[in-house]
Amino acid sequence: SESLVVCDVAEDLVEKLRKFRFRKETNNAAIIMKIDKDKQLVVLDEEHEGISPDELKDELPERQPRYPFIVYSYKYQHDDGRVSYPLCFIFSSPVGCKPEQQMMYAGSKNKLVQTAELTKVFEIRNTEDLTEEWLHEKLGYFHVNLC
């Protein structure tokens, strides 16, 4: 039986995520990551500035059996008019992946969330679910904690 492989996070990605957390820009931005199976590392796949949830959805591999990890800085308008910029970790687990691949991603996801100190972690089953409404609903659960 194979042991569970949990991938480390590439050093340059750790630094990029740290800088992303403290970015000063007020537009939506995303870092899309993937697993390099040969190196057993979570690595940068793509970066996007000024990207809406719908545009982000279009960047995701729809039918590829891989799990993108997304860190998304989102301009969130509260009901009382305040604006915050929560950092959201979004991951998808598409159907059709091999069980060992699912386990590798699950373990690596937890490592990435810890490394990047992310608290708003959301899962989507289907990339089509990634919409502005979906994100607002998810963030609504956190409204008490958002500053």
Side-chain angles (χ1 to χ4, degrees):
S1 69
E2 286 185 47
S3 61
L4 176 63
V5 175
V6 176
C7 299
D8 275 322
V9 182
E11 279 302 312
D12 58 338
L13 182 56
V14 171
E15 180 61 20
K16 185 172 287 295
L17 288 167
R18 190 187 65 72
K19 286 181 178 164
F20 192 69
R21 172 186 287 287
F22 297 109
R23 68 195 279 278
K24 301 285 186 249
E25 293 82 3
T26 57
N27 61 337
N28 295 341
I31 293 178
I32 301 175
M33 298 153 284
K34 63 182 179 182
I35 287 184
D36 181 328
K37 283 193 292 215
D38 297 334
K39 296 180 182 171
Q40 294 187 351
L41 277 178
V42 178
V43 297
L44 177 68
D45 189 12
E46 300 173 18
E47 289 180 87
H48 298 278
E49 286 286 333
I51 187 167
S52 72
D54 287 322
E55 292 166 332
L56 182 58
K57 170 178 59 185
D58 293 340
E59 293 296 325
L60 300 178
E62 208 172 308
R63 294 282 172 250
Q64 270 182 299
R66 74 174 181 87
Y67 301 69
F69 295 137
I70 305 158
V71 176
Y72 190 42
S73 177
Y74 178 68
K75 184 175 181 175
Y76 181 69
Q77 181 87 38
H78 296 265
D79 293 338
D80 62 8
R82 291 177 302 125
V83 174
S84 62
Y85 300 91
L87 215 51
C88 307
F89 180 74
I90 303 168
F91 68 100
S92 72
S93 41
V95 291
C97 283
K98 298 182 186 124
E100 59 270 17
Q101 192 178 14
Q102 289 176 340
M103 290 188 333
M104 182 167 77
Y105 267 86
S108 302
K109 174 198 70 136
N110 294 337
K111 172 97 174 174
L112 182 58
V113 166
Q114 289 172 345
T115 301
E117 300 174 34
L118 299 163
T119 55
K120 293 162 188 66
V121 178
F122 308 125
E123 178 179 9
I124 54 175
R125 284 284 176 199
N126 181 338
T127 55
E128 288 301 308
D129 296 341
L130 181 55
T131 63
E132 194 104 27
E133 294 74 27
W134 175 84
L135 194 53
H136 263 267
E137 181 185 316
K138 292 293 185 186
L139 288 170
Y141 296 125
F142 286 92
H143 69 87
V144 177
N145 299 326
L146 289 176
C147 304

